[in-house]
């Protein structure tokens, strides 16, 4: 087994011990040495008293028997995910002939070198682009007022240094300025003077700066845990871009690819951010059960509601380029992957809550732990479901606004495939989130309450007579 990665505030601990065994006796109340004295581990004494988060440090070790039971469940699952990725590995995105439509256009980078104010009436109508970025025909109506005549220089590609003219109408949503970085589309089959056109502005600098601020904030506040969270985020996006998307384009079943990819992301992210402990393993099991429920419900209701998954120009373009892709399966895979991030938060929080309750009162049995944990979970359910619904509503806000402008009834809006798709996505994900609370709480209560005084784990607990050593020994 490789190094044990603990996303703790202060350190990363390496250990050759089994993956579900912690390596630190820190009390989860955040006061590591109140029970055994402040001098057991001087190097850690000042720091742990201020660690308060979902996970305050490695959990107390569970018994050897429970470690074997958890490993017997998770090791075959992890092996199946690994084998699934090998079997489905795409080897790259399949090539296709570009259509020149939408995102399938050839693009290069460019820069606006000069701007000139001209009378729109003096500009040939064929030079005035429509809001869709395509030149109007000779019979198009020339707008009144002052237009901008932008000279754009291509800065990348085989035609680097070539210049062309872009006419910007006064009411266009995208205005250009001198020195502005832009994205230009290249149409090799068009006449030379119409081969290049501006399709967007270059936003790489502000996006990169915002991402840098986010990364710094996460590391400053989260310290080592935040650093490993960022690494897990990079790995998650790597699985998405290198495995899930190319595998779907290669013709693999989107649902199978989505389940395998989401499982890989779940295993990597949870263990990397929360450590290879029994507590994290319980969260993984709770997340897995909830994902299975979401998959079953999503498959049933997407089929029952006759949702095709082909509802807009982008999905239509995908279906046109790759007609073999199952669009309804792609929709279901999106539901599973989209629910995973919130599920992780719910299951880890519930597991940590049960562990903390057991640390506060070791005499609590599984029923008492479950009742106390589920009371915490009810508050979490209310906030998480509301968050999920508002997230989907915010993404679909322009669409809802269009229905409002058309004075459509609520029934008509809900029955349209565009909105019905979001409703099914939201409700299926929310049901999985709600179910994850009792499932994870019950699993955590059973696991943590199985260790009583006199168990192998408890007998290995450190005491004052062990010469000040604060590290539990496994048996």
């Amino acid at each position: 087994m490789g190094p044990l990665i603990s996303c703790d505030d202060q350190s990363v601990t390496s250990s050759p011990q089994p993956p579900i065994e912690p390596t630190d006796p820190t009390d989860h109340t955040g006061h590591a040495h109140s029970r055994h004295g402040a001098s057991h581990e001087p190097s850690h004494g000042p720091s742990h008293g201020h660690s308060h988060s979902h996970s305050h440090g490695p959990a107390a070790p569970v018994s050897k028997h429970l470690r074997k039971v958890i490993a017997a469940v998770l090791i075959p699952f992890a092996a199946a995910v690994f084998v699934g990725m090998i079997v489905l590995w795409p080897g790259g995105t399949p090539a296709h002939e570009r259509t020149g439509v939408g995102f399938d256009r050839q693009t290069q980078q460019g820069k606006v070198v000069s701007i000139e104010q001209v009378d729109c009436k003096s500009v040939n109508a064929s030079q005035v682009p429509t809001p869709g970025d395509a030149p109007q025909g000779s019979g198009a109506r020339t707008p009144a007022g002052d237009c901008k005549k932008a000279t754009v220089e291509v800065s990348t590609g085989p035609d680097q240094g070539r210049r062309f003219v872009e006419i910007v109408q006064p009411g266009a949503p995208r205005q250009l300025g001198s020195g502005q970085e832009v994205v230009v589309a290249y149409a090799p089959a068009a006449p030379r003077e119409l081969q290049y056109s501006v399709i967007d502005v270059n936003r790489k600098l502000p996006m990169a700066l915002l991402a840098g601020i986010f990364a710094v904030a996460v590391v400053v506040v989260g310290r080592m845990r935040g650093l490993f969270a960022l690494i897990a985020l990079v790995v998650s996006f790597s699985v998405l871009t290198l495995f899930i998307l190319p595998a779907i384009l290669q013709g693999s079943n989107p649902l199978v690819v989505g389940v395998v990819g989401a499982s890989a992301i779940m295993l990597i992210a949870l263990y990397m951010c929360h450590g290879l402990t029994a507590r994290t393993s319980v969260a993984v099991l709770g997340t897995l059960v909830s994902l299975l429920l979401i998959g079953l419900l999503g498959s049933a209701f997407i089929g029952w509601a006759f949702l095709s998954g082909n509802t807009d120009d982008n999905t239509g373009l995908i279906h046109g380029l790759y007609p073999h892709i199952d669009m309804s399966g792609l929709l279901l895979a999106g539901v599973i992957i989209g629910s995973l991030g919130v599920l992780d938060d719910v299951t880890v929080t519930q597991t940590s809550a049960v562990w903390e309750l057991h640390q506060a009162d070791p005499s609590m049995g599984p029923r008492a732990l479950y009742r106390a944990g589920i009371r915490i979970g009810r508050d979490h359910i209310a906030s998480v479901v509301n968050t999920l619904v508002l997230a989907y509503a915010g993404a679909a806000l322009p669409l809802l606004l269009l229905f409002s402008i058309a004075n459509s009834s609520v029934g008509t809006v809900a029955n349209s495939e565009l909105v019905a798709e979001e409703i099914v996505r939201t409700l299926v994900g929310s049901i999985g989130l709600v179910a994850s609370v009792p499932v994870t709480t019950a699993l955590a209560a059973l696991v943590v309450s199985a260790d009583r005084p006199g168990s192998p784990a408890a007998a290995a607990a450190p005491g004052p007579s062990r010469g000040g050593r604060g590290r539990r020994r496994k048996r």
Side-chain angles (χ1 to χ4, degrees), residues 19-20 70 74 271 275-286:
I20 57 173
I70 294 174
L74 288 179
Y271 281 119
L276 297 173
T277 64
R279 181 167 61 182
T280 307
S281 299
V282 171
V284 168
L285 290 174

Side-chain angles (χ1 to χ4, degrees), residues 216-309:
V216 170
V218 170
V219 173
V220 168
V221 177
R223 299 186 184 182
M224 289 303 299
R225 188 180 297 276
L227 177 62
F228 281 107
L230 290 177
I231 296 174
L233 182 63
V234 172
V235 174
S236 298
F237 271 99
S238 299
V239 173
L240 181 65
T241 56
L242 299 179
F243 171 69
I244 295 178
L245 299 181
I248 292 175
L249 292 178
Q250 289 282 10
S252 300
N253 187 293
L255 177 58
V256 176
V257 173
V259 169
V260 173
S263 300
I265 291 173
M266 173 186 67
L267 290 171
I268 294 170
L270 285 179
Y271 281 119
M272 182 172 289
C273 290
H274 302 285
L276 297 173
T277 64
R279 181 167 61 182
T280 307
S281 299
V282 171
V284 168
L285 290 174
T287 305
L288 175 61
V289 173
S290 302
L291 283 178
L292 291 176
L293 177 61
I294 289 173
L296 292 174
L297 285 176
S299 179
F301 282 92
I302 287 175
W304 192 9
F306 298 99
L307 298 177
S308 65

Side-chain angles (χ1 to χ4, degrees), residues 104-120:
D104 201 39
R105 291 176 284 191
Q106 298 183 41
T107 60
Q108 299 293 343
Q109 300 299 312
K111 183 178 181 179
V112 179
V113 294
S114 65
I115 292 287
E116 181 183 353
Q117 295 288 341
V118 296
D119 188 353
C120 291

Side-chain angles (χ1 to χ4, degrees), residues 146-162:
D146 290 333
C147 290
K148 289 182 179 180
K149 184 178 179 181
T151 301
V152 183
E153 182 178 291
V154 180
S155 54
T156 60
D159 291 332
Q160 183 176 356
R162 178 176 166 181

Side-chain angles (χ1 to χ4, degrees), residues 339-390:
S339 303
L340 180 60
V342 187
L343 271 177
D344 288 351
D345 176 68
V346 173
T347 55
V348 169
T349 300
Q350 284 303 114
T351 305
S352 296
V354 173
W355 242 265
E356 295 290 339
L357 289 168
H358 179 71
Q359 288 289 331
D361 187 0
S363 65
M364 294 178 69
R367 291 186 178 181
L369 284 171
Y370 177 81
R371 287 195 297 266
I374 205 69
R375 285 195 294 269
I376 299 172
R378 291 190 185 105
D379 292 335
H380 208 181
I381 287 174
S383 60
V384 167
V385 169
N386 191 51
T387 300
L388 191 63
V389 171
L390 289 179

Side-chain angles (χ1 to χ4, degrees), residues 9-35:
D9 292 11
Q10 303 295 333
S11 63
V12 181
T13 305
S14 296
S15 172
Q17 297 166 351
I20 57 173
E21 184 70 25
T23 60
D24 193 328
T26 305
D27 190 331
H28 287 275
T29 58
H31 304 284
H33 308 291
S34 60
R35 190 174 298 175

